[in-house]
Amino acid sequence: MISAVLPTYNRAPLAFVRGEGSWLVAEDGSRYLDLGAGIAVNALGHAHPALVQTLTDQAQKLWHVSNIYRIPEQDRLAEMLVDLTFADTVFFTNSGTEAAELAIKMARKYHNDKGAPHRTQIITFEGAFHGRSTGAIAAAGSEKMVKGFGPLMPGFTHLAWADHDAIRAAITDQTCAVIIEPIQGEGGIRQVPDQCLKGLRDLCSATGTLLIFDEVQCGMGRSGKLFAHEWAGVTPDIMMVAKGIGGGFPLGAVLATEDAASGMTAGTHGSTYGGNPLACAVGAKVTELIADPDFLDAVSAKAARFRQGLEGLVASHPSVFQAVRGTGLMLGLKCVVPNTDVVKAGYSRHVLTVAAADNVLRLLPALNIPDDDITEALSRLDAVASDLEGAQAALRP
Ligand SMILES: *Cc1c(COP(=O)(O)O)cnc(C)c1O
């Protein structure tokens, strides 16, 4: 018999009832060190006092009003993001998928309104993940996500990951936009080299192609900068944000330049919930805390400490781990054994990690993870690797 909840998830046999910083507490009271943070969502850890306060204060005033009316909390967050980034304007969504949908619509509308309605083709990359809507799966195009769901939305060209010559060859007079994650998350913590992002920016500018960054996972301080593309010193025309920006409250956004957004006039797009007072009040507090330069410096310091420890684990457990990947607190361990075995062995040692493609184990802790918890994380991952080595030894004749 089918479960009451649609069985689309491979669930771990764990359920949590409470969270405190980098820790999750299970039904039986046992504590798990959370290195997944809701897949880069709980950017400030669980139950951060300032976020609890902000949410509670707003909940007592006003939860929701329609976008028919002005929403001051939304104006405030939009102004913060405009001040902090390349963007001139922001649209709020409830998720990354919805941000991807708008980014696609905005890019096509742009060329349509500029007298080039034939420019509809959007270039994306192998290993990409942009969400689960029909448009977002067509955009990413992986067999696993699209199989059985056709006919797919047309108009996407899938290229090998960050192959500059292939991109150059693929841009034609039909090309609308390029969508790329500066650091792929689901794809296995793969960072586009700075030179490559610069080259892509030049190529897009020269051909009038819109450059869209998907920073749903790598944005909001995860890389040690507010947005990962800042490391390369380039800016996109459009950017998708979600996950960390709500700190656990569902919130996403599309940021754009005035020119890129020029087709999106009144009535061309909308959302019932997107940018409601509760979400934006929390989002503004998250943004205020993360955008603080001292906070971002601390992320980089924690990242250096964590990374150094992970390099040590690779050196001491070469039959389990092969290499460290990533930037900031968006880290990955390329595994020798199946990454899902490492995730499972982690449950026994009460440390939570997330699998990604390319046999990579993702480590996406809260950005404010205390140094003691990093030490604890490394010691638990060391124990996990030893357990797996023990299992390997037991199998040898
Ligand atoms: C998670 C993710 C999305 C989709 O976000 P949802 O909130 O799950 O819809 C899109 N792009 C990237 C890079 C992501 O990591």
Side-chain angles (χ1 to χ4, degrees):
M1 200 172 70
I2 194 165
S3 50
V5 174
L6 189 73
T8 58
Y9 299 106
N10 268 318
R11 308 251 198 207
L14 289 168
F16 300 104
V17 293
R18 211 169 64 244
E20 296 160 9
S22 296
W23 295 84
L24 279 168
V25 182
E27 286 169 316
D28 65 0
S30 58
R31 295 165 64 82
Y32 289 73
L33 184 49
D34 183 10
L35 304 181
I39 314 195
V41 167
N42 302 101
L44 295 168
H46 299 281
H48 188 288
L51 298 189
V52 172
Q53 190 64 52
T54 300
L55 182 70
T56 314
D57 288 350
Q58 187 61 43
Q60 277 159 5
K61 288 192 287 190
L62 182 64
W63 293 21
H64 178 82
V65 287
S66 167
N67 276 304
I68 292 171
Y69 310 105
R70 274 192 49 236
I71 300 178
E73 295 78 13
Q74 194 181 112
D75 292 342
R76 182 158 163 264
L77 178 53
E79 280 157 19
M80 289 172 79
L81 292 169
V82 165
D83 284 347
L84 289 164
T85 70
F86 73 97
D88 302 312
T89 189
V90 183
F91 182 94
F92 292 103
T93 66
N94 310 290
S95 68
T97 302
E98 290 164 89
E101 286 295 319
L102 172 57
I104 293 165
K105 286 176 69 176
M106 185 183 282
R108 288 189 172 159
K109 189 72 164 44
Y110 170 86
H111 291 292
N112 180 76
D113 289 16
K114 298 256 172 183
H118 53 280
R119 295 191 72 163
T120 58
Q121 200 70 22
I122 297 174
I123 293 173
T124 61
F125 298 93
E126 175 259 315
F129 183 75
H130 303 301
R132 297 289 198 158
S133 64
T134 51
I137 61 172
S142 83
E143 173 81 6
K144 186 177 122 192
M145 275 190 286
V146 304
K147 202 168 172 219
F149 294 115
L152 297 175
M153 186 204 284
F156 295 97
T157 303
H158 305 106
L159 299 183
W161 183 71
D163 174 344
H164 196 72
D165 292 334
I167 302 168
R168 189 184 296 279
I171 292 184
T172 68
D173 60 357
Q174 312 286 310
T175 306
C176 168
V178 173
I179 307 181
I180 192 163
E181 294 155 82
I183 309 170
Q184 276 190 352
E186 306 300 313
I189 312 292
R190 293 198 294 180
Q191 183 177 14
V192 182
D194 289 353
Q195 270 320 107
C196 218
L197 274 193
K198 286 198 183 94
L200 192 53
R201 175 67 274 177
D202 292 345
L203 197 53
C204 285
S205 298
T207 55
T209 303
L210 293 174
L211 180 57
I212 304 175
F213 288 159
D214 181 346
E215 293 230 16
V216 169
Q217 194 161 150
C218 62
M220 293 308 294
R222 182 74 24 209
S223 72
K225 299 254 190 217
L226 186 57
F227 291 102
H229 66 261
E230 293 171 31
W231 289 108
V234 299
T235 57
D237 302 296
I238 300 172
M239 177 167 73
M240 290 123 74
V241 179
K243 293 204 164 93
I245 192 170
F249 199 94
L251 178 63
V254 174
L255 282 63
T257 63
E258 183 167 8
D259 186 41
S262 57
M264 302 307 294
T265 51
T268 55
H269 197 66
S271 168
T272 296
Y273 287 126
N276 90 358
L278 267 184
C280 287
V282 176
K285 182 51 81 176
V286 171
T287 303
E288 176 196 318
L289 294 173
I290 291 180
D292 178 343
D294 291 338
F295 182 90
L296 291 170
D297 285 348
V299 171
S300 287
K302 289 172 192 302
R305 172 188 282 262
F306 202 175
R307 195 187 177 98
Q308 190 179 21
L310 293 174
E311 299 283 2
L313 288 186
V314 170
S316 52
H317 302 284
S319 67
V320 178
F321 300 129
Q322 188 181 318
V324 185
R325 290 185 180 179
T327 301
L329 287 173
M330 186 163 181
L331 292 163
L333 278 169
K334 171 89 176 164
C335 296
V336 180
V337 298
N339 57 356
T340 47
D341 288 1
V342 185
V343 173
K344 281 196 196 113
Y347 297 149
S348 315
R349 292 283 177 182
H350 288 207
V351 58
L352 305 175
T353 58
V354 187
D358 208 18
N359 205 29
V360 166
L361 187 77
R362 263 183 291 179
L363 307 163
L364 309 160
L367 302 180
N368 56 357
I369 182 173
D371 288 347
D372 285 352
D373 287 349
I374 294 177
T375 307
E376 186 61 32
L378 290 164
S379 124
R380 291 187 187 211
L381 290 171
D382 187 49
V384 166
S386 298
D387 292 348
L388 290 166
E389 284 163 349
Q392 285 170 347
L395 284 178
R396 273 195 287 273

Coordinates of all heavy atoms in Angstrom, one line a residue, residues 175-231:
T175 N 20.5 32.2 -29.5 CA 20.8 32.0 -28.0 C 20.3 33.1 -27.2 O 20.4 34.3 -27.5 CB 22.3 31.9 -27.8 OG1 22.8 30.8 -28.6 CG2 22.6 31.5 -26.3
C176 N 19.6 32.7 -26.1 CA 18.9 33.7 -25.2 C 19.8 33.9 -24.0 O 20.0 35.1 -23.6 CB 17.6 33.0 -24.8 SG 16.7 33.8 -23.5
A177 N 20.2 32.8 -23.4 CA 20.9 33.0 -22.1 C 21.8 31.8 -21.8 O 21.6 30.7 -22.4 CB 19.9 33.1 -21.0
V178 N 22.7 31.9 -20.8 CA 23.5 30.8 -20.3 C 23.1 30.7 -18.8 O 23.1 31.8 -18.1 CB 25.0 31.0 -20.5 CG1 25.8 30.0 -19.7 CG2 25.4 31.1 -21.9
I179 N 22.8 29.6 -18.3 CA 22.5 29.4 -16.9 C 23.6 28.5 -16.3 O 23.8 27.4 -16.8 CB 21.2 28.7 -16.6 CG1 20.0 29.5 -17.3 CG2 20.9 28.7 -15.1 CD1 18.6 28.8 -17.0
I180 N 24.3 29.0 -15.3 CA 25.4 28.2 -14.7 C 25.4 28.4 -13.1 O 25.2 29.5 -12.6 CB 26.7 28.6 -15.3 CG1 27.8 27.5 -14.9 CG2 27.2 30.0 -15.0 CD1 29.0 27.6 -15.8
E181 N 25.7 27.4 -12.4 CA 26.0 27.5 -11.0 C 27.5 27.7 -10.8 O 28.3 26.9 -11.2 CB 25.7 26.1 -10.3 CG 24.2 25.7 -10.3 CD 24.1 24.2 -10.1 OE1 24.2 23.6 -9.0 OE2 23.9 23.5 -11.2
P182 N 27.9 28.9 -10.2 CA 29.3 29.1 -10.0 C 30.0 28.0 -9.3 O 31.1 27.6 -9.5 CB 29.3 30.4 -9.2 CG 28.1 31.1 -9.7 CD 27.1 30.0 -9.8
I183 N 29.2 27.3 -8.3 CA 29.7 26.1 -7.7 C 28.5 25.1 -7.8 O 27.5 25.4 -7.2 CB 30.1 26.2 -6.3 CG1 31.1 27.4 -6.1 CG2 30.7 24.9 -5.7 CD1 31.4 27.8 -4.6
Q184 N 28.7 24.0 -8.5 CA 27.6 23.0 -8.6 C 27.5 22.3 -7.3 O 28.5 21.9 -6.7 CB 27.9 22.0 -9.7 CG 27.5 22.4 -11.1 CD 27.6 21.2 -12.0 OE1 28.1 20.1 -11.7 NE2 27.1 21.4 -13.2
G185 N 26.2 22.2 -6.8 CA 26.0 21.5 -5.5 C 25.6 20.1 -5.8 O 26.4 19.2 -5.5
E186 N 24.4 19.8 -6.3 CA 24.0 18.4 -6.5 C 25.0 17.7 -7.5 O 25.2 16.5 -7.4 CB 22.6 18.4 -7.2 CG 21.5 19.2 -6.5 CD 21.2 18.7 -5.1 OE1 21.1 17.5 -4.9 OE2 21.2 19.5 -4.2
G187 N 25.6 18.5 -8.4 CA 26.5 17.9 -9.3 C 27.8 17.4 -8.7 O 28.6 16.8 -9.4
G188 N 28.0 17.7 -7.5 CA 29.2 17.2 -6.8 C 30.2 18.2 -6.4 O 31.4 18.0 -6.4
I189 N 29.8 19.4 -5.9 CA 30.7 20.4 -5.4 C 31.8 20.7 -6.4 O 33.0 20.5 -6.2 CB 31.3 20.1 -4.0 CG1 30.2 19.6 -3.0 CG2 32.0 21.3 -3.4 CD1 29.2 20.6 -2.6
R190 N 31.3 21.1 -7.6 CA 32.3 21.4 -8.7 C 32.3 22.9 -8.9 O 31.2 23.5 -9.3 CB 31.9 20.7 -10.0 CG 32.0 19.2 -9.9 CD 32.1 18.5 -11.2 NE 30.8 18.7 -11.9 CZ 30.6 18.2 -13.1 NH1 31.6 17.6 -13.8 NH2 29.4 18.3 -13.7
Q191 N 33.4 23.5 -8.7 CA 33.5 25.0 -8.8 C 34.0 25.4 -10.2 O 35.0 24.8 -10.7 CB 34.5 25.5 -7.8 CG 34.7 27.0 -7.7 CD 35.6 27.4 -6.7 OE1 36.4 26.6 -6.1 NE2 35.6 28.7 -6.4
V192 N 33.3 26.3 -10.8 CA 33.8 26.8 -12.1 C 35.0 27.7 -11.8 O 34.9 28.6 -11.0 CB 32.7 27.7 -12.8 CG1 33.1 28.2 -14.1 CG2 31.4 26.9 -12.9
P193 N 36.1 27.4 -12.5 CA 37.3 28.3 -12.3 C 37.0 29.7 -12.6 O 36.2 30.0 -13.5 CB 38.3 27.7 -13.2 CG 37.9 26.3 -13.6 CD 36.4 26.4 -13.5
D194 N 37.6 30.7 -11.8 CA 37.4 32.1 -11.9 C 37.6 32.5 -13.4 O 36.8 33.3 -13.9 CB 38.3 32.9 -11.0 CG 37.9 32.8 -9.6 OD1 36.9 32.2 -9.3 OD2 38.7 33.3 -8.7
Q195 N 38.7 32.0 -14.0 CA 39.0 32.4 -15.4 C 37.8 32.1 -16.3 O 37.5 32.8 -17.3 CB 40.2 31.6 -15.9 CG 41.5 32.4 -15.6 CD 41.4 33.8 -15.9 OE1 41.4 34.6 -14.9 NE2 41.4 34.2 -17.1
C196 N 37.2 30.9 -16.0 CA 36.1 30.4 -16.9 C 34.9 31.3 -16.7 O 34.2 31.6 -17.7 CB 35.8 29.0 -16.3 SG 35.4 27.8 -17.6
L197 N 34.6 31.7 -15.5 CA 33.4 32.6 -15.3 C 33.7 34.0 -16.0 O 32.8 34.6 -16.6 CB 33.2 32.9 -13.8 CG 32.3 31.9 -13.0 CD1 31.9 32.5 -11.7 CD2 31.1 31.4 -13.8
K198 N 34.9 34.4 -15.9 CA 35.3 35.7 -16.6 C 35.1 35.5 -18.1 O 34.6 36.4 -18.7 CB 36.8 36.1 -16.3 CG 37.0 36.6 -14.9 CD 38.4 37.3 -14.9 CE 38.7 37.8 -13.5 NZ 39.6 36.9 -12.7
G199 N 35.6 34.4 -18.6 CA 35.5 34.2 -20.1 C 34.0 34.1 -20.5 O 33.7 34.6 -21.5
L200 N 33.2 33.5 -19.7 CA 31.8 33.4 -20.0 C 31.1 34.7 -20.0 O 30.3 35.0 -20.8 CB 31.2 32.4 -18.9 CG 29.8 31.9 -19.1 CD1 29.7 31.2 -20.5 CD2 29.4 30.9 -18.0
R201 N 31.5 35.5 -19.0 CA 31.0 36.9 -18.9 C 31.3 37.7 -20.2 O 30.4 38.3 -20.8 CB 31.5 37.6 -17.7 CG 31.1 39.1 -17.5 CD 29.7 39.3 -17.2 NE 28.8 39.4 -18.4 CZ 27.5 39.6 -18.4 NH1 26.8 39.6 -17.2 NH2 26.8 39.6 -19.5
D202 N 32.5 37.6 -20.6 CA 33.0 38.3 -21.8 C 32.2 37.8 -23.1 O 31.7 38.6 -23.9 CB 34.5 38.1 -22.1 CG 35.3 38.8 -21.0 OD1 34.7 39.7 -20.3 OD2 36.5 38.5 -20.9
L203 N 32.1 36.5 -23.1 CA 31.4 35.9 -24.3 C 29.9 36.3 -24.3 O 29.4 36.6 -25.4 CB 31.5 34.4 -24.1 CG 31.3 33.5 -25.3 CD1 32.1 33.9 -26.5 CD2 31.6 32.0 -25.0
C204 N 29.3 36.3 -23.2 CA 27.9 36.7 -23.1 C 27.7 38.2 -23.5 O 26.8 38.5 -24.2 CB 27.3 36.4 -21.7 SG 27.0 34.7 -21.4
S205 N 28.6 39.0 -22.9 CA 28.5 40.5 -23.2 C 28.7 40.7 -24.7 O 28.0 41.5 -25.3 CB 29.5 41.2 -22.4 OG 29.3 41.1 -21.0
A206 N 29.7 40.0 -25.3 CA 30.0 40.2 -26.7 C 28.8 39.8 -27.6 O 28.7 40.3 -28.7 CB 31.3 39.5 -27.1
T207 N 28.1 38.8 -27.2 CA 27.0 38.2 -28.1 C 25.6 38.7 -27.6 O 24.6 38.2 -28.2 CB 27.1 36.7 -28.0 OG1 27.0 36.2 -26.7 CG2 28.4 36.2 -28.6
G208 N 25.5 39.5 -26.6 CA 24.2 40.0 -26.2 C 23.4 38.8 -25.5 O 22.2 38.9 -25.4
T209 N 24.1 37.8 -25.0 CA 23.5 36.7 -24.3 C 23.4 37.0 -22.8 O 24.3 37.6 -22.3 CB 24.3 35.4 -24.5 OG1 24.5 35.2 -25.9 CG2 23.7 34.2 -23.8
L210 N 22.2 36.7 -22.2 CA 22.1 37.0 -20.8 C 22.8 35.9 -20.0 O 22.7 34.8 -20.3 CB 20.6 37.1 -20.4 CG 19.8 38.3 -21.0 CD1 18.4 38.2 -20.6 CD2 20.4 39.6 -20.5
L211 N 23.6 36.4 -19.0 CA 24.3 35.4 -18.1 C 23.5 35.3 -16.8 O 23.3 36.3 -16.1 CB 25.7 35.9 -17.8 CG 26.6 35.1 -17.0 CD1 26.7 33.6 -17.5 CD2 28.0 35.7 -16.8
I212 N 23.1 34.1 -16.5 CA 22.2 33.8 -15.4 C 23.0 32.9 -14.4 O 23.5 31.8 -14.8 CB 20.9 33.1 -15.7 CG1 20.2 33.9 -16.8 CG2 20.1 32.8 -14.5 CD1 18.9 33.2 -17.3
F213 N 23.3 33.4 -13.2 CA 23.9 32.5 -12.2 C 22.8 31.9 -11.3 O 22.0 32.6 -10.8 CB 24.9 33.3 -11.3 CG 26.1 33.7 -12.0 CD1 26.9 34.8 -11.6 CD2 26.6 33.1 -13.2 CE1 28.1 35.2 -12.2 CE2 27.8 33.4 -13.8 CZ 28.5 34.5 -13.4
D214 N 22.9 30.6 -11.1 CA 22.1 29.9 -10.1 C 22.9 29.8 -8.8 O 23.8 29.0 -8.7 CB 21.7 28.5 -10.6 CG 20.8 27.8 -9.6 OD1 20.7 28.3 -8.5 OD2 20.2 26.8 -10.0
E215 N 22.6 30.7 -7.9 CA 23.3 30.7 -6.6 C 22.4 30.2 -5.5 O 22.5 30.6 -4.3 CB 23.9 32.1 -6.3 CG 25.1 32.5 -7.2 CD 26.3 33.0 -6.5 OE1 26.4 32.7 -5.3 OE2 27.2 33.6 -7.2
V216 N 21.5 29.4 -5.8 CA 20.5 28.9 -4.9 C 21.3 28.1 -3.7 O 20.9 28.3 -2.6 CB 19.5 28.0 -5.5 CG1 18.6 27.2 -4.5 CG2 18.5 28.8 -6.4
Q217 N 22.3 27.4 -4.1 CA 23.0 26.6 -3.1 C 24.3 27.3 -2.7 O 24.7 27.3 -1.5 CB 23.3 25.2 -3.6 CG 23.8 24.2 -2.5 CD 23.6 22.8 -2.9 OE1 24.4 21.9 -2.4 NE2 22.6 22.4 -3.7
C218 N 25.0 27.9 -3.6 CA 26.4 28.4 -3.3 C 26.3 29.9 -2.8 O 27.3 30.4 -2.4 CB 27.3 28.3 -4.5 SG 26.8 29.2 -6.0
G219 N 25.1 30.5 -2.8 CA 25.0 31.9 -2.4 C 24.8 32.1 -0.9 O 24.9 31.1 -0.2
M220 N 24.5 33.3 -0.5 CA 24.2 33.7 0.9 C 25.3 33.3 1.8 O 25.0 32.6 2.9 CB 22.8 33.1 1.3 CG 21.6 33.7 0.6 SD 21.6 35.5 0.6 CE 21.3 35.9 2.3
G221 N 26.5 33.6 1.5 CA 27.7 33.5 2.4 C 28.3 32.1 2.4 O 29.4 31.9 3.0
R222 N 27.7 31.1 1.7 CA 28.2 29.8 1.7 C 29.7 29.7 1.3 O 30.5 28.9 1.8 CB 27.3 28.9 0.8 CG 27.5 27.5 0.7 CD 27.1 26.5 1.8 NE 26.2 26.8 2.8 CZ 26.3 26.2 4.0 NH1 27.3 25.4 4.3 NH2 25.3 26.4 4.9
S223 N 30.1 30.5 0.3 CA 31.4 30.4 -0.3 C 32.4 31.3 0.5 O 33.6 31.2 0.2 CB 31.4 30.9 -1.7 OG 31.3 32.3 -1.8
G224 N 31.9 32.0 1.5 CA 32.8 33.0 2.2 C 32.7 34.4 1.7 O 33.1 35.3 2.3
K225 N 32.0 34.6 0.5 CA 31.5 35.9 0.0 C 30.0 35.8 0.1 O 29.5 34.7 0.1 CB 32.0 36.1 -1.4 CG 33.5 36.2 -1.6 CD 34.0 37.6 -1.8 CE 35.5 37.6 -2.2 NZ 36.2 38.8 -1.5
L226 N 29.3 36.9 0.0 CA 27.9 36.9 0.1 C 27.4 36.0 -1.1 O 26.5 35.2 -0.9 CB 27.3 38.3 0.0 CG 25.8 38.3 0.2 CD1 25.3 37.7 1.5 CD2 25.2 39.8 0.1
F227 N 28.0 36.3 -2.3 CA 27.7 35.4 -3.5 C 28.9 34.9 -4.1 O 29.9 35.6 -4.1 CB 26.8 36.1 -4.5 CG 25.4 36.4 -3.9 CD1 25.0 37.6 -3.4 CD2 24.5 35.3 -3.8 CE1 23.8 37.8 -2.8 CE2 23.3 35.5 -3.2 CZ 22.9 36.7 -2.7
A228 N 28.9 33.6 -4.5 CA 30.1 32.9 -4.9 C 30.8 33.6 -6.1 O 32.0 33.6 -6.3 CB 29.8 31.5 -5.3
H229 N 30.0 34.2 -7.0 CA 30.6 34.8 -8.2 C 31.5 36.0 -7.9 O 32.3 36.5 -8.7 CB 29.5 35.3 -9.2 CG 28.6 36.4 -8.7 ND1 27.4 36.2 -8.1 CD2 28.8 37.7 -8.7 CE1 26.9 37.4 -7.8 NE2 27.7 38.3 -8.1
E230 N 31.3 36.6 -6.6 CA 32.2 37.7 -6.3 C 33.7 37.3 -6.3 O 34.5 38.2 -6.5 CB 31.8 38.2 -4.9 CG 30.4 38.8 -4.9 CD 29.9 39.2 -3.5 OE1 30.8 39.5 -2.6 OE2 28.7 39.1 -3.2
W231 N 34.0 36.1 -6.0 CA 35.4 35.6 -6.0 C 36.0 35.8 -7.4 O 37.2 36.1 -7.5 CB 35.5 34.1 -5.7 CG 35.2 33.8 -4.3 CD1 34.1 33.2 -3.8 CD2 36.1 34.1 -3.1 NE1 34.2 33.0 -2.4 CE2 35.4 33.6 -2.0 CE3 37.3 34.7 -3.0 CZ2 36.0 33.7 -0.7 CZ3 37.9 34.9 -1.7 CH2 37.2 34.4 -0.6

